[in-house]
Structure formats: structure tokens, C-alpha cells
Amino acid sequence: MIALAEDTEAKVSACENAVGQSLTSQQSRPIRPLPEVMEAIESCASLPLEDAVTTPPEAYTSEEYYQWEVTNIFHREWQCVAHVSQIPKPGDFLNLDLLGEPLIVVRGKDESVRVLSRVCPHRGMDIMPPGFGHEGHGVAEARGESNCGHTRLFLCPYHAWTFELDGKLKACPEMQQARGFKRDDHGLMPFRTEIWRGFIFVNFDGQAAPLAERLSEMNTDFGDWHSEDMHVIIEREWDCPFNWKVLVENFMESYHHLGAHAKTLQPMMPARDTWNEQERDSYVRCHLPFKEALVAEWEAMEKAGGNPFGFPTIQSLADWKKKESGLFLIYPNFLTFVLPDRVVWYRVQPMGPHRMKLLTTMLVPKSTTEHPEFPEMLTRETKMLIDFHLEDMEMCTAIQRGMRSLGAQQGRLSHLEMSVWLMQRYLAARGRGSWPGQDRPAAPAQR
Ligand code: FES
Ligand SMILES: [Fe+2]
């Protein structure tokens, strides 16, 4: 684990305390029934951007609406669970619980990546419940900090059934008297999986359109970072006392650089210059141009052999991609931002209307990890990633408290919050059984 600077440690522990308090905070605002909440979202979404208002508070607080999202959004869409570099070798695995589903993401002996249920097909035991089933329990060894490990096979600790890395039942003691029992019928359940640009996605209902098809347009833009060849070099997990959309909206609008990041991001990427591309059915793309004076300074620095962005600049990027940062949201909750030297990916695990788990990660090309000054770069950039995320954690935690309170109002949106409005239009479209821009005209780009 990288040692954090003292001030960052102090801020992290203050944040953890605030999270603990917020998780037990009260709902004082009455919550309307589901049909009224859906109608309120539809009515926001049908306003033009110039008239846009904020999303109704119940979208962030209603248990009923959250359950609607689970069934109609999360189970039907692709959810990103890992990056290929987190499980590089056969036998490497990563555990996570997604929407109540205990999952293993594992690389098999054939090098294929699979997402399997951790629920034992015998009596339903989670074969590796959190904090159990790694070291000292069976054959798997823990590795790293993010519920990763390495194993030859999986062992259910309850009655010692064992499974191959592809989920097939390998052995089960004392089952010879069970009439008609066939091992092939009793494996760990696989979920539909697709790898896109190195990111591993899962689809619970098995019906989603192939991702590569849906994202062909994004591929020509985001593809320039070659995230499939990158390595996750920093990962940090956060327990978040807020709705998943609070985070997605916060990530995707840069209006809040003016307040939350006034000293960190605003001087580099002023809110006023940020803009959104046109509405699309599967993703949102925002541009955050760097201040011109800084670009000139950084170009000079680079010519002199320096690394203006912290890590070496990715030389294959088009020139304009070295002059800005970019944000992408693949609906509903894949978040990434790109810089000229890295990709930052946030893994979002919704856990209820008021809670989610977040993994913040950073990815760089392999060549960066081989740079002689990489250890120092890593320490510095880890601090940076945590420091500015803490600024967002503070805001998001306080927003969720606001959404639960009697004082919550539906405010107005700035044009710089187009992503919040696009999110409303996505939710409303899913409510109509459609996709953004398919049964209504798509909104134009801001430039
Ligand atoms: S529940 Fe897994 S072996 Fe019995
Ligand atoms: Fe932020």
C-alpha cells in the first residue's frame, strides 16, 4: 500500500467519519409513489435544456424507484466489473458483489475471462464471502487489496465441492447415492460477459445488445488511449452514503469546478469552457479544455523533456487530445475520464437508494510503469487522485442529505450541467422502453 501524506490521511479519516454519520441520517421528506416519480422524471426530461430543472428528489431516495432501476436498467444493461490487467494470468480472480449478486471475475486456463456466480450450486453458500475463503481457507490465495486472488480451482468451504476455473463442478464428496446426479449439471452459474477496450462487462439478463456494436462510435474516439493495453496502477475503494446518480452526475458535469474544485481543477479546466457532444443512445461525451496559457507552458516543458501531466504523455494521441481532458459515461454507470497521460476509471456498485460502493482506479500504458521515476510519480498521483476525490465525496455526501430533507427543491440547471439533463432523458427513455434520441429527436452538441 502506498503511504499517504499526513494531510491526506487526516482528510480520508474525516471523510470516513462523515460517511458513517450520513448512512444513518433520516428521511424527513415524504416520498411519492413510483408512478408519480416516473411522471415527474418524464416531465423534467421533456423540457428543453434552456428550461431544464433538477431531477426530482425521489429519484435519489425512493426505495421503489431504486428497485425499478435494478429491474429495468441495471439487469438489462452492461455493468463494468473489472479491467483485464487486474487478472492478468490464468487462475487470477477478482471478487465483487454487484446489485446483491456475489460474483467472481476469473481468467481461465484457456485465458478466457468469465464472470461466474459465487453461489454454490449445492446449498447456496457464497463460496468466498468477503473476508473469508482467501488465505487459510482452501486453495485460493489473496493478492493485492481489491479482493483479488489466484487459485487453481474454487472450493466451497461448506461441503467441500470443488469447481474448475470455468465454473464446472470438478469433484463432490459422498454424492454417489444421489440418483441421476450428473456433475455437468451443477456448475457455478456463468453470466454473459463482454470485454470492450480492456474493460470487462457483465449483463445479468443476457439480452443486452452486444457492447462493441453499441459503442462503435465511442470506439473511434476513446480507442486512441488503448485502454486494453493499459495497467491499473491505483485502486481505492470507497463506501459512499449517496445514490449512484449523485456520483454519475457529479462526475459528468464540470460546472462544480467553480465551487468544489475552485483551487484544484478550476484553474486548469475552467467550468465555463467545458462542453458536451450531441446526445447519443449509449454514451455521453464531455470536453474539458485546458487553459490556453497552461497548454503553452506545458508544451515548452515537454520539449525540455519534462512530464507536464505527471506521467509521460501518450505520444500517439492526436494533438487536440493533449490539450484537454475528457469525460465519458456509458449508460448507466460506466465512468471514465481521460487525460493526455492516463485513463481514470470509476467502478460504480449501486447498493440501494442511499448507498453505493465505489472503486476509483487509474490506468497508464505499460511503458509508463517502466519509467525510472515511476515510483515517485505514483506516490504523487495517488495523493492527487485521493485529494480531489475527497472534494467530490464531501459534496456528494451532503447532496444526498439534502435530497432526503423537507427543504429539497427542484432547482434550475445551467447549460454547463447538460449531462444532468441527459441523464434525466436517459431515465425517461428507459421508462418508455426506449433509448435517448430514438423516440425523440436527439439533443445537439454544445459546439
Ligand atoms: S453449499 Fe457448497 S458444497 Fe454444500
Ligand atoms: Fe468533481
PDB file of all heavy atoms in Angstrom, residues 398-427:
ATOM      1  N   ALA A 398     -23.151  15.389   1.104  1.00  0.00           N
ATOM      2  CA  ALA A 398     -24.041  16.468   1.537  1.00  0.00           C
ATOM      3  C   ALA A 398     -25.270  16.586   0.624  1.00  0.00           C
ATOM      4  O   ALA A 398     -26.362  16.930   1.085  1.00  0.00           O
ATOM      5  CB  ALA A 398     -23.269  17.779   1.569  1.00  0.00           C
ATOM      6  N   ILE A 399     -25.098  16.280  -0.662  1.00  0.00           N
ATOM      7  CA  ILE A 399     -26.239  16.337  -1.594  1.00  0.00           C
ATOM      8  C   ILE A 399     -27.285  15.308  -1.198  1.00  0.00           C
ATOM      9  O   ILE A 399     -28.479  15.593  -1.160  1.00  0.00           O
ATOM     10  CB  ILE A 399     -25.771  16.090  -3.046  1.00  0.00           C
ATOM     11  CG1 ILE A 399     -25.027  17.313  -3.571  1.00  0.00           C
ATOM     12  CG2 ILE A 399     -26.962  15.787  -3.971  1.00  0.00           C
ATOM     13  CD1 ILE A 399     -24.238  17.072  -4.818  1.00  0.00           C
ATOM     14  N   GLN A 400     -26.833  14.090  -0.873  1.00  0.00           N
ATOM     15  CA  GLN A 400     -27.797  13.044  -0.524  1.00  0.00           C
ATOM     16  C   GLN A 400     -28.599  13.452   0.723  1.00  0.00           C
ATOM     17  O   GLN A 400     -29.809  13.219   0.784  1.00  0.00           O
ATOM     18  CB  GLN A 400     -27.072  11.708  -0.297  1.00  0.00           C
ATOM     19  CG  GLN A 400     -28.003  10.522  -0.107  1.00  0.00           C
ATOM     20  CD  GLN A 400     -28.727  10.120  -1.395  1.00  0.00           C
ATOM     21  OE1 GLN A 400     -28.274  10.444  -2.493  1.00  0.00           O
ATOM     22  NE2 GLN A 400     -29.860   9.447  -1.273  1.00  0.00           N
ATOM     23  N   ARG A 401     -27.928  14.078   1.704  1.00  0.00           N
ATOM     24  CA  ARG A 401     -28.663  14.545   2.891  1.00  0.00           C
ATOM     25  C   ARG A 401     -29.724  15.548   2.478  1.00  0.00           C
ATOM     26  O   ARG A 401     -30.847  15.544   2.965  1.00  0.00           O
ATOM     27  CB  ARG A 401     -27.705  15.149   3.926  1.00  0.00           C
ATOM     28  CG  ARG A 401     -26.923  14.104   4.689  1.00  0.00           C
ATOM     29  CD  ARG A 401     -26.411  14.644   6.028  1.00  0.00           C
ATOM     30  NE  ARG A 401     -25.610  15.865   5.874  1.00  0.00           N
ATOM     31  CZ  ARG A 401     -24.284  15.850   5.702  1.00  0.00           C
ATOM     32  NH1 ARG A 401     -23.622  14.716   5.672  1.00  0.00           N
ATOM     33  NH2 ARG A 401     -23.630  16.975   5.554  1.00  0.00           N
ATOM     34  N   GLY A 402     -29.345  16.428   1.521  1.00  0.00           N
ATOM     35  CA  GLY A 402     -30.289  17.429   1.022  1.00  0.00           C
ATOM     36  C   GLY A 402     -31.506  16.784   0.365  1.00  0.00           C
ATOM     37  O   GLY A 402     -32.648  17.208   0.577  1.00  0.00           O
ATOM     38  N   MET A 403     -31.272  15.737  -0.409  1.00  0.00           N
ATOM     39  CA  MET A 403     -32.364  15.071  -1.146  1.00  0.00           C
ATOM     40  C   MET A 403     -33.379  14.424  -0.203  1.00  0.00           C
ATOM     41  O   MET A 403     -34.532  14.229  -0.560  1.00  0.00           O
ATOM     42  CB  MET A 403     -31.803  13.988  -2.087  1.00  0.00           C
ATOM     43  CG  MET A 403     -30.995  14.495  -3.247  1.00  0.00           C
ATOM     44  SD  MET A 403     -31.936  15.540  -4.345  1.00  0.00           S
ATOM     45  CE  MET A 403     -31.121  17.100  -4.096  1.00  0.00           C
ATOM     46  N   ARG A 404     -32.951  14.088   1.032  1.00  0.00           N
ATOM     47  CA  ARG A 404     -33.845  13.425   1.995  1.00  0.00           C
ATOM     48  C   ARG A 404     -34.652  14.426   2.812  1.00  0.00           C
ATOM     49  O   ARG A 404     -35.525  14.041   3.567  1.00  0.00           O
ATOM     50  CB  ARG A 404     -33.013  12.606   2.985  1.00  0.00           C
ATOM     51  CG  ARG A 404     -32.190  11.533   2.330  1.00  0.00           C
ATOM     52  CD  ARG A 404     -31.218  10.931   3.317  1.00  0.00           C
ATOM     53  NE  ARG A 404     -31.755   9.686   3.806  1.00  0.00           N
ATOM     54  CZ  ARG A 404     -31.029   8.656   4.234  1.00  0.00           C
ATOM     55  NH1 ARG A 404     -29.728   8.739   4.258  1.00  0.00           N
ATOM     56  NH2 ARG A 404     -31.583   7.552   4.646  1.00  0.00           N
ATOM     57  N   SER A 405     -34.308  15.699   2.673  1.00  0.00           N
ATOM     58  CA  SER A 405     -34.863  16.672   3.616  1.00  0.00           C
ATOM     59  C   SER A 405     -36.090  17.396   3.068  1.00  0.00           C
ATOM     60  O   SER A 405     -36.315  17.460   1.857  1.00  0.00           O
ATOM     61  CB  SER A 405     -33.786  17.687   3.987  1.00  0.00           C
ATOM     62  OG  SER A 405     -33.522  18.475   2.849  1.00  0.00           O
ATOM     63  N   LEU A 406     -36.857  17.972   3.975  1.00  0.00           N
ATOM     64  CA  LEU A 406     -38.046  18.753   3.609  1.00  0.00           C
ATOM     65  C   LEU A 406     -37.682  19.937   2.722  1.00  0.00           C
ATOM     66  O   LEU A 406     -38.475  20.379   1.903  1.00  0.00           O
ATOM     67  CB  LEU A 406     -38.724  19.279   4.882  1.00  0.00           C
ATOM     68  CG  LEU A 406     -39.487  18.246   5.707  1.00  0.00           C
ATOM     69  CD1 LEU A 406     -39.941  18.872   7.028  1.00  0.00           C
ATOM     70  CD2 LEU A 406     -40.691  17.719   4.932  1.00  0.00           C
ATOM     71  N   GLY A 407     -36.478  20.456   2.932  1.00  0.00           N
ATOM     72  CA  GLY A 407     -36.065  21.665   2.202  1.00  0.00           C
ATOM     73  C   GLY A 407     -35.667  21.418   0.753  1.00  0.00           C
ATOM     74  O   GLY A 407     -35.375  22.372   0.028  1.00  0.00           O
ATOM     75  N   ALA A 408     -35.649  20.179   0.314  1.00  0.00           N
ATOM     76  CA  ALA A 408     -35.210  19.904  -1.070  1.00  0.00           C
ATOM     77  C   ALA A 408     -36.188  20.516  -2.071  1.00  0.00           C
ATOM     78  O   ALA A 408     -37.392  20.321  -1.973  1.00  0.00           O
ATOM     79  CB  ALA A 408     -35.104  18.399  -1.299  1.00  0.00           C
ATOM     80  N   GLN A 409     -35.645  21.281  -3.020  1.00  0.00           N
ATOM     81  CA  GLN A 409     -36.488  21.897  -4.048  1.00  0.00           C
ATOM     82  C   GLN A 409     -35.988  21.416  -5.411  1.00  0.00           C
ATOM     83  O   GLN A 409     -34.858  20.970  -5.523  1.00  0.00           O
ATOM     84  CB  GLN A 409     -36.331  23.415  -4.019  1.00  0.00           C
ATOM     85  CG  GLN A 409     -36.625  24.045  -2.694  1.00  0.00           C
ATOM     86  CD  GLN A 409     -36.469  25.563  -2.769  1.00  0.00           C
ATOM     87  OE1 GLN A 409     -36.737  26.182  -3.806  1.00  0.00           O
ATOM     88  NE2 GLN A 409     -36.026  26.160  -1.681  1.00  0.00           N
ATOM     89  N   GLN A 410     -36.798  21.566  -6.444  1.00  0.00           N
ATOM     90  CA  GLN A 410     -36.282  21.302  -7.781  1.00  0.00           C
ATOM     91  C   GLN A 410     -35.711  22.598  -8.326  1.00  0.00           C
ATOM     92  O   GLN A 410     -36.459  23.544  -8.611  1.00  0.00           O
ATOM     93  CB  GLN A 410     -37.374  20.739  -8.669  1.00  0.00           C
ATOM     94  CG  GLN A 410     -37.317  19.212  -8.683  1.00  0.00           C
ATOM     95  CD  GLN A 410     -38.308  18.618  -9.636  1.00  0.00           C
ATOM     96  OE1 GLN A 410     -39.476  18.491  -9.294  1.00  0.00           O
ATOM     97  NE2 GLN A 410     -37.838  18.252 -10.820  1.00  0.00           N
ATOM     98  N   GLY A 411     -34.384  22.645  -8.415  1.00  0.00           N
ATOM     99  CA  GLY A 411     -33.718  23.874  -8.861  1.00  0.00           C
ATOM    100  C   GLY A 411     -33.662  23.952 -10.371  1.00  0.00           C
ATOM    101  O   GLY A 411     -34.223  23.134 -11.078  1.00  0.00           O
ATOM    102  N   ARG A 412     -32.961  24.980 -10.872  1.00  0.00           N
ATOM    103  CA  ARG A 412     -32.745  25.129 -12.317  1.00  0.00           C
ATOM    104  C   ARG A 412     -31.342  24.670 -12.666  1.00  0.00           C
ATOM    105  O   ARG A 412     -30.433  24.769 -11.854  1.00  0.00           O
ATOM    106  CB  ARG A 412     -32.938  26.606 -12.714  1.00  0.00           C
ATOM    107  CG  ARG A 412     -34.384  27.080 -12.628  1.00  0.00           C
ATOM    108  CD  ARG A 412     -35.267  26.392 -13.651  1.00  0.00           C
ATOM    109  NE  ARG A 412     -34.785  26.552 -15.025  1.00  0.00           N
ATOM    110  CZ  ARG A 412     -35.114  27.551 -15.827  1.00  0.00           C
ATOM    111  NH1 ARG A 412     -35.946  28.493 -15.424  1.00  0.00           N
ATOM    112  NH2 ARG A 412     -34.628  27.631 -17.057  1.00  0.00           N
ATOM    113  N   LEU A 413     -31.158  24.213 -13.879  1.00  0.00           N
ATOM    114  CA  LEU A 413     -29.842  23.750 -14.327  1.00  0.00           C
ATOM    115  C   LEU A 413     -29.165  24.785 -15.219  1.00  0.00           C
ATOM    116  O   LEU A 413     -29.835  25.459 -16.009  1.00  0.00           O
ATOM    117  CB  LEU A 413     -29.979  22.448 -15.116  1.00  0.00           C
ATOM    118  CG  LEU A 413     -30.401  21.192 -14.345  1.00  0.00           C
ATOM    119  CD1 LEU A 413     -30.614  20.027 -15.319  1.00  0.00           C
ATOM    120  CD2 LEU A 413     -29.371  20.809 -13.295  1.00  0.00           C
ATOM    121  N   SER A 414     -27.850  24.887 -15.092  1.00  0.00           N
ATOM    122  CA  SER A 414     -27.055  25.701 -16.011  1.00  0.00           C
ATOM    123  C   SER A 414     -26.834  24.893 -17.300  1.00  0.00           C
ATOM    124  O   SER A 414     -26.889  23.655 -17.272  1.00  0.00           O
ATOM    125  CB  SER A 414     -25.703  26.008 -15.360  1.00  0.00           C
ATOM    126  OG  SER A 414     -24.739  26.343 -16.344  1.00  0.00           O
ATOM    127  N   HIS A 415     -26.519  25.610 -18.383  1.00  0.00           N
ATOM    128  CA  HIS A 415     -26.185  24.872 -19.623  1.00  0.00           C
ATOM    129  C   HIS A 415     -24.946  24.004 -19.418  1.00  0.00           C
ATOM    130  O   HIS A 415     -24.715  23.049 -20.150  1.00  0.00           O
ATOM    131  CB  HIS A 415     -25.976  25.859 -20.787  1.00  0.00           C
ATOM    132  CG  HIS A 415     -24.761  26.727 -20.622  1.00  0.00           C
ATOM    133  ND1 HIS A 415     -24.710  27.796 -19.745  1.00  0.00           N
ATOM    134  CD2 HIS A 415     -23.536  26.647 -21.188  1.00  0.00           C
ATOM    135  CE1 HIS A 415     -23.503  28.349 -19.798  1.00  0.00           C
ATOM    136  NE2 HIS A 415     -22.786  27.678 -20.663  1.00  0.00           N
ATOM    137  N   LEU A 416     -24.129  24.354 -18.402  1.00  0.00           N
ATOM    138  CA  LEU A 416     -22.925  23.561 -18.117  1.00  0.00           C
ATOM    139  C   LEU A 416     -23.264  22.235 -17.429  1.00  0.00           C
ATOM    140  O   LEU A 416     -22.387  21.420 -17.185  1.00  0.00           O
ATOM    141  CB  LEU A 416     -21.946  24.367 -17.246  1.00  0.00           C
ATOM    142  CG  LEU A 416     -21.392  25.646 -17.874  1.00  0.00           C
ATOM    143  CD1 LEU A 416     -20.503  26.391 -16.885  1.00  0.00           C
ATOM    144  CD2 LEU A 416     -20.591  25.346 -19.150  1.00  0.00           C
ATOM    145  N   GLU A 417     -24.560  22.067 -17.095  1.00  0.00           N
ATOM    146  CA  GLU A 417     -24.995  20.803 -16.487  1.00  0.00           C
ATOM    147  C   GLU A 417     -25.794  19.963 -17.484  1.00  0.00           C
ATOM    148  O   GLU A 417     -26.676  19.203 -17.092  1.00  0.00           O
ATOM    149  CB  GLU A 417     -25.835  21.089 -15.239  1.00  0.00           C
ATOM    150  CG  GLU A 417     -25.026  21.772 -14.142  1.00  0.00           C
ATOM    151  CD  GLU A 417     -25.894  22.325 -13.024  1.00  0.00           C
ATOM    152  OE1 GLU A 417     -26.684  23.247 -13.275  1.00  0.00           O
ATOM    153  OE2 GLU A 417     -25.779  21.827 -11.900  1.00  0.00           O
ATOM    154  N   MET A 418     -25.453  20.082 -18.745  1.00  0.00           N
ATOM    155  CA  MET A 418     -26.186  19.327 -19.770  1.00  0.00           C
ATOM    156  C   MET A 418     -26.213  17.827 -19.462  1.00  0.00           C
ATOM    157  O   MET A 418     -27.202  17.146 -19.721  1.00  0.00           O
ATOM    158  CB  MET A 418     -25.559  19.576 -21.153  1.00  0.00           C
ATOM    159  CG  MET A 418     -26.253  18.817 -22.279  1.00  0.00           C
ATOM    160  SD  MET A 418     -25.688  19.398 -23.894  1.00  0.00           S
ATOM    161  CE  MET A 418     -26.306  18.106 -24.985  1.00  0.00           C
ATOM    162  N   SER A 419     -25.123  17.313 -18.866  1.00  0.00           N
ATOM    163  CA  SER A 419     -25.079  15.864 -18.571  1.00  0.00           C
ATOM    164  C   SER A 419     -26.163  15.444 -17.584  1.00  0.00           C
ATOM    165  O   SER A 419     -26.658  14.322 -17.659  1.00  0.00           O
ATOM    166  CB  SER A 419     -23.721  15.474 -17.987  1.00  0.00           C
ATOM    167  OG  SER A 419     -22.712  15.753 -18.909  1.00  0.00           O
ATOM    168  N   VAL A 420     -26.502  16.342 -16.643  1.00  0.00           N
ATOM    169  CA  VAL A 420     -27.552  16.012 -15.665  1.00  0.00           C
ATOM    170  C   VAL A 420     -28.891  15.869 -16.412  1.00  0.00           C
ATOM    171  O   VAL A 420     -29.664  14.939 -16.183  1.00  0.00           O
ATOM    172  CB  VAL A 420     -27.646  17.109 -14.571  1.00  0.00           C
ATOM    173  CG1 VAL A 420     -28.789  16.828 -13.606  1.00  0.00           C
ATOM    174  CG2 VAL A 420     -26.315  17.247 -13.829  1.00  0.00           C
ATOM    175  N   TRP A 421     -29.104  16.780 -17.327  1.00  0.00           N
ATOM    176  CA  TRP A 421     -30.322  16.765 -18.153  1.00  0.00           C
ATOM    177  C   TRP A 421     -30.341  15.535 -19.077  1.00  0.00           C
ATOM    178  O   TRP A 421     -31.364  14.877 -19.232  1.00  0.00           O
ATOM    179  CB  TRP A 421     -30.346  18.079 -18.932  1.00  0.00           C
ATOM    180  CG  TRP A 421     -31.430  18.290 -19.921  1.00  0.00           C
ATOM    181  CD1 TRP A 421     -32.745  18.561 -19.668  1.00  0.00           C
ATOM    182  CD2 TRP A 421     -31.283  18.307 -21.356  1.00  0.00           C
ATOM    183  NE1 TRP A 421     -33.418  18.745 -20.851  1.00  0.00           N
ATOM    184  CE2 TRP A 421     -32.550  18.598 -21.898  1.00  0.00           C
ATOM    185  CE3 TRP A 421     -30.209  18.128 -22.227  1.00  0.00           C
ATOM    186  CZ2 TRP A 421     -32.761  18.694 -23.271  1.00  0.00           C
ATOM    187  CZ3 TRP A 421     -30.416  18.229 -23.593  1.00  0.00           C
ATOM    188  CH2 TRP A 421     -31.684  18.511 -24.102  1.00  0.00           C
ATOM    189  N   LEU A 422     -29.165  15.176 -19.614  1.00  0.00           N
ATOM    190  CA  LEU A 422     -29.096  13.977 -20.471  1.00  0.00           C
ATOM    191  C   LEU A 422     -29.411  12.723 -19.663  1.00  0.00           C
ATOM    192  O   LEU A 422     -30.029  11.784 -20.164  1.00  0.00           O
ATOM    193  CB  LEU A 422     -27.710  13.854 -21.115  1.00  0.00           C
ATOM    194  CG  LEU A 422     -27.370  14.866 -22.201  1.00  0.00           C
ATOM    195  CD1 LEU A 422     -25.935  14.662 -22.697  1.00  0.00           C
ATOM    196  CD2 LEU A 422     -28.345  14.782 -23.388  1.00  0.00           C
ATOM    197  N   MET A 423     -28.990  12.727 -18.424  1.00  0.00           N
ATOM    198  CA  MET A 423     -29.271  11.578 -17.547  1.00  0.00           C
ATOM    199  C   MET A 423     -30.789  11.463 -17.317  1.00  0.00           C
ATOM    200  O   MET A 423     -31.328  10.357 -17.344  1.00  0.00           O
ATOM    201  CB  MET A 423     -28.527  11.811 -16.227  1.00  0.00           C
ATOM    202  CG  MET A 423     -28.410  10.611 -15.365  1.00  0.00           C
ATOM    203  SD  MET A 423     -27.383   9.331 -16.115  1.00  0.00           S
ATOM    204  CE  MET A 423     -27.845   7.989 -15.047  1.00  0.00           C
ATOM    205  N   GLN A 424     -31.456  12.599 -17.117  1.00  0.00           N
ATOM    206  CA  GLN A 424     -32.925  12.583 -16.976  1.00  0.00           C
ATOM    207  C   GLN A 424     -33.551  11.995 -18.235  1.00  0.00           C
ATOM    208  O   GLN A 424     -34.487  11.197 -18.181  1.00  0.00           O
ATOM    209  CB  GLN A 424     -33.487  14.004 -16.809  1.00  0.00           C
ATOM    210  CG  GLN A 424     -33.056  14.711 -15.569  1.00  0.00           C
ATOM    211  CD  GLN A 424     -33.459  16.197 -15.574  1.00  0.00           C
ATOM    212  OE1 GLN A 424     -34.004  16.731 -16.550  1.00  0.00           O
ATOM    213  NE2 GLN A 424     -33.187  16.866 -14.466  1.00  0.00           N
ATOM    214  N   ARG A 425     -33.007  12.404 -19.374  1.00  0.00           N
ATOM    215  CA  ARG A 425     -33.571  11.938 -20.652  1.00  0.00           C
ATOM    216  C   ARG A 425     -33.314  10.445 -20.855  1.00  0.00           C
ATOM    217  O   ARG A 425     -34.129   9.751 -21.459  1.00  0.00           O
ATOM    218  CB  ARG A 425     -32.986  12.776 -21.809  1.00  0.00           C
ATOM    219  CG  ARG A 425     -33.586  14.180 -21.808  1.00  0.00           C
ATOM    220  CD  ARG A 425     -32.789  15.135 -22.668  1.00  0.00           C
ATOM    221  NE  ARG A 425     -32.779  14.839 -24.076  1.00  0.00           N
ATOM    222  CZ  ARG A 425     -33.638  15.334 -24.983  1.00  0.00           C
ATOM    223  NH1 ARG A 425     -34.601  16.141 -24.596  1.00  0.00           N
ATOM    224  NH2 ARG A 425     -33.511  15.020 -26.260  1.00  0.00           N
ATOM    225  N   TYR A 426     -32.192   9.964 -20.324  1.00  0.00           N
ATOM    226  CA  TYR A 426     -31.922   8.517 -20.382  1.00  0.00           C
ATOM    227  C   TYR A 426     -32.935   7.769 -19.501  1.00  0.00           C
ATOM    228  O   TYR A 426     -33.542   6.788 -19.935  1.00  0.00           O
ATOM    229  CB  TYR A 426     -30.480   8.232 -19.917  1.00  0.00           C
ATOM    230  CG  TYR A 426     -30.235   6.771 -19.645  1.00  0.00           C
ATOM    231  CD1 TYR A 426     -30.021   5.867 -20.696  1.00  0.00           C
ATOM    232  CD2 TYR A 426     -30.240   6.268 -18.342  1.00  0.00           C
ATOM    233  CE1 TYR A 426     -29.822   4.515 -20.449  1.00  0.00           C
ATOM    234  CE2 TYR A 426     -30.045   4.918 -18.088  1.00  0.00           C
ATOM    235  CZ  TYR A 426     -29.838   4.049 -19.147  1.00  0.00           C
ATOM    236  OH  TYR A 426     -29.655   2.711 -18.888  1.00  0.00           O
ATOM    237  N   LEU A 427     -33.101   8.242 -18.238  1.00  0.00           N
ATOM    238  CA  LEU A 427     -34.038   7.571 -17.311  1.00  0.00           C
ATOM    239  C   LEU A 427     -35.450   7.576 -17.888  1.00  0.00           C
ATOM    240  O   LEU A 427     -36.157   6.565 -17.836  1.00  0.00           O
ATOM    241  CB  LEU A 427     -34.040   8.266 -15.943  1.00  0.00           C
ATOM    242  CG  LEU A 427     -32.725   8.243 -15.147  1.00  0.00           C
ATOM    243  CD1 LEU A 427     -32.842   9.129 -13.908  1.00  0.00           C
ATOM    244  CD2 LEU A 427     -32.341   6.818 -14.748  1.00  0.00           C
TER     245      LEU A 427
END
